[in-house]
Every structure is written in structure tokens, then in C-alpha cells.
Amino acid sequence: MDSLKSQLPKISEEDRTPLVDVLLELLEWQQKQIDGLEQKILKLKGETIKPKIKPSKMDDDPAKGKDENGNDSDKSKKNKGPKRSKTEHLKIDATIDTQPDNIPEGSIFKGYRKVVIQDIKFETFNTCYRLAEYQTLDGSYVSGQLPEDLNGCHFGNNLISFILYQYHHQHVTQPLLLKQLLDLGIDISSGRLSQFITVDFDLFQDEKDQLLQAGLSVSQYIHTDDTGPRHDGKNGYCTHIGNELFAWFSSTASKNRINFLSCLGQGSDSFYVLNAGGFVYMEQQGLPRALLARLELEFASEVVCSLPLADPADKVVRVETALNWQKWLDQQGIKNQQHRRIISEGALMEGLLAQGIYSSLSIVSDDAGQFNVFDHALCWIHAERIINRLIPLNSEHVKAVADTREQLWQIYPDLKAYKLGSTEDIKPQFQSMCSTKTAYLTLNLALKRMGNNLSERDIRDYIKKRKINGSTRSEAGRRCRDIFARLKKTCLRHKISFWHYLKVRLLGLNNISLLPDLIRTAATCN
């Protein structure tokens, strides 16, 4: 839409009468209304709108903030204290003294002015171990051994750390990484490089297996989201679980609620528990009363299962592994897929509670159905997005939406203070907003949806890696992609350099505690 200003002829000062000025002001106001309407239409269509750019300060009068003598005035000059050296924390590898080209006679040496030049070396460091060999009297041989930390590998741990850092943290593709190493003078094949990237290092085994368990054991809430990575040429799903203490990723073939509950139980370690609490969930999910009554009757009579892993003495059906659970469902004659799904979800939830997960655990998500378990909540941005997506039909609706959004963000500072330890209860404010009745029915329904409840940052990095590297091919590659994503993001949670973490683990040092221990320690300090 063309601007009205571009269509108006230029009016000289001689012709600018009071009436003309009024008309010009009216046209200018009308143009602002049209521009605002255009931006609203673009926003409703999901298009990019004109950003609000603050004016530049480059053209400010340099004389401002000066006194009559041209010096900085007290108002403009801030007391910043002594200047801190920006290089005092740097490690100095070499010191070189330089003298002036010409020193006038009689000059007195007053010491050195230090100037630190930062640089980096990219060069190979090849070590030849000469293993002494001796022949014994019986004809056998004994020889020196390579250091244990090399694990019989012909590549040093610093090089392996660099490879893992470049691939998993910097998102350098394997072909580019191979070219980089060859350019630096490393003699390595593409197959050997692939092994370093996809091998499941034993030294990371304990940490990656305990991350989720440690995180859930100390968390009152978690954030979760999923995305769609590809594996072996097929679409799949990656589920993220985490909070300020940890991050955990798992690639699976589906994204339903059973999958999410299995992820919380770490997949193959999940077990199924059927008890009174599980029956309550099944009733809420609409399991037929006849089937529910039959299950409760068998449960009460302690005739629970012919599998050895069931525990009738505790009046609990406890079944290990998904395969055995499917067999148990078959034994009960339950064939309807929807019924099997509901019963499985209830049993998995009770299994998680038996593992020690808080029953009040809050699941903060983007409102996807598969995450609607335990105490389901929306993250603040997604909660506000529900309001922002509404399309008002008249000025009264517009005002109602604007007032609600303003009220929503007025609560946000109190929410942050509450998170940091404030004792002020913000529930009444939030519940009052959600119970507000406006003339806009759709807004009222949206507020009701938010009434029970109020994460995407971690998953973005995973998506970026997927876009750069494409899909994984081997199961080992998919597993390592998830493992190093967990380790990297958890390191960042605790302000640990992932580069230093890799070197410490591969070199066998003890400078950094195990990540599960850091999670538990951080939880006790909060």
C-alpha cells in the first residue's frame, strides 16, 4: 500500500494556511492508522513486521556533557574506579624483551611496559615411544608398555578431545573435519575418524546413564520438548528433558505419551506398576468401567500375573521390560489398542513414582498432548502465545486481549522473584486473571485453558546440528549424538567448558566432578 505522503504535492510556506495545516495533520494521523493496520495484518498472518529501532546516538552533540571549559562535567563523567587489566588472567607462554632502536645518552631505565599478544598454534605433536625389548633366558620377550591412558590407541587424547569438540560442540561436519585434520598434518582415515565420533566411550558411561536419574531425583519441575531428527533415512523424534540443573536427550521412533513416560524411566530401565493409583488414572482417561472393574477384582484377589516378576504379596503388579508387559496384557485378554494404551500409561506413571520421582513433578511444555502427565504446565512464552494468537473481531475484543496480555506480563516479575526465593504467593494473581470474564468468549476459553498451568532453547541446538549434519546412519551414531548432547548441555548448565570437560575425562584427570554429583550439589545449594 503506497504511503499517502508520497502522493501529496509539496506545499510551500506561502500556501500553508491554518486550514491546510489541520488537513495535513489529519492526513498524517490517518497514515499512522493505516500503517498500524498493515502491521497488525502482517502479524496475524505470521509475517515479519517492522521492527522498532531506537534512534542512533552517533549524531548527538559532542559538546553535551561538557562544562564551560570544555571538560567533562560531573554528570556525564562516571566514576568507574581503577582500570582493570584485560590480560591479567592469561597464561604467558613466552616473554620477549625489546629495546628501543635508539636510546639517548643519559637515559634512565624505568622498567618494562607489558603488552600481551594473544596467538594460537595449530601444529601436530607426534610422540615416538621406544618400547625397550628384552629376551629372557627361556627365550621369551618382555617389553615396555604404552601409557594406560592411551588405551592402546595410536592417537593422543588431546587430538580425540579436539575431534569430539569440533563435531559435537562446533557442529563441524565429518568431511570438513577430516579435511581440517589432514591440512594440519594428521594422518587419519575417514573410517578412523568416524569411529572416534560414534564410539561409546566407557569413561562417559556412568555419567550419561545417571544424568536423568540424578536430575529427576532433585527436581520439582522439568522442561520438555521434542523435534524430528532423521535416522537411517527415516523420520524419527528426539525428546528433550531438563531444567537449570541438567539436560537429557533421547532419540526414538515415536512421540506419544507412552514414549515420553518411557523416556522419563530411561527406556529399557522402565518398569510397569499396576496399583490403586494406576486405576485412578485409567478411570480419568475413560477406560471402560467393566474392564476397570475386572482389573480391580483381579488386583484385589491377588491373582495378578503368571510372570515371576509380579509381586502379589504387595498387591502390586510389577513387570519389567515392555516385552513382558505386552505378554501380561495378552494374558488378561486385553486386545483393544486404546485400552492397552491407557493401561500402559497408568502402569508407567506408577512405575516412575515407585522409582522415586516426585508425585507433584511439574512438566513444563508447549502444551503438546504427550506431555500431559503429572502436573502439566505451559512455559510462560507458550502461555502468552495462546493469548497472542487470538484474532479480535472488534475494538472491544482488542481492548480485552491487550488488557489480558498486560496483566499477564505484570505477573512475570513476581514469578521471577518467587523462583529466586520470594515468599509472596502469586497464585491468587494468576488465578484472578484466569477467572476473568470478558466480552470476548474465545479469550475466556483461552484463560480457562491456562488456569491450571503456566522450553525450546536446548532443542534448538539439536535442530541446528540436524540441519548441518543431516541424519545419522548407524545405531552407534544416533546413540553418541544423544549422549554428547546430554553431556554438553549439562556442562553449560554448570558453567563448565565442554572443551575442558572432554580433556579432563580423556586424560584421566580429576579436576571436574562427575556431572550427576554436580547436579545433586547444585540442588542442595539452591
Side-chain angles (χ1 to χ4, degrees), residues 382-395:
H382 285 101
E384 196 263 352
R385 186 180 296 174
I386 294 175
I387 309 300
N388 195 34
R389 284 178 175 175
L390 299 178
I391 303 177
L393 303 178
N394 52 50
S395 58

Side-chain angles (χ1 to χ4, degrees), residues 194-210:
S194 179
Q195 289 178 353
F196 284 136
I197 291 172
T198 59
V199 68
D200 191 359
F201 289 97
D202 292 337
L203 53 93
F204 297 114
Q205 191 74 26
D206 291 339
E207 284 185 282
K208 65 97 175 173
D209 285 343
Q210 296 178 25

Side-chain angles (χ1 to χ4, degrees), residues 357-381:
I357 290 180
Y358 292 113
S359 59
S360 59
L361 179 70
S362 294
I363 311 292
V364 183
S365 77
D366 59 357
D367 202 26
Q370 66 268 26
F371 304 131
N372 189 10
V373 294
F374 297 110
D375 185 10
H376 187 217
L378 293 179
C379 75
W380 195 266
I381 296 299

Side-chain angles (χ1 to χ4, degrees), residues 16 106-107 162 168 201 219 243 324 393 493 508 512 515 525:
R16 289 179 69 98
S107 298
F162 178 77
H168 291 291
F201 289 97
S219 298
N243 54 28
N324 284 338
L393 303 178
R493 290 286 194 278
I512 300 176
L515 295 181
C525 294

Side-chain angles (χ1 to χ4, degrees), residues 137-200:
L137 295 177
D138 60 2
S140 60
Y141 285 85
V142 294
S143 65
Q145 302 295 318
L146 291 172
E148 291 184 1
D149 63 334
L150 291 177
N151 296 315
C153 180
H154 288 259
F155 295 91
N157 288 317
N158 281 312
L159 175 58
I160 298 174
S161 298
F162 178 77
I163 291 172
L164 295 176
Y165 184 81
Q166 288 291 89
Y167 184 79
H168 291 291
H169 185 76
Q170 298 299 105
H171 305 309
V172 179
T173 62
Q174 187 172 329
L176 286 177
L177 183 55
L178 178 62
K179 182 66 167 57
Q180 182 184 35
L181 294 174
L182 294 176
D183 289 344
L184 291 174
I186 302 295
D187 185 12
I188 187 171
S189 66
S190 60
R192 193 69 182 93
L193 176 62
S194 179
Q195 289 178 353
F196 284 136
I197 291 172
T198 59
V199 68
D200 191 359

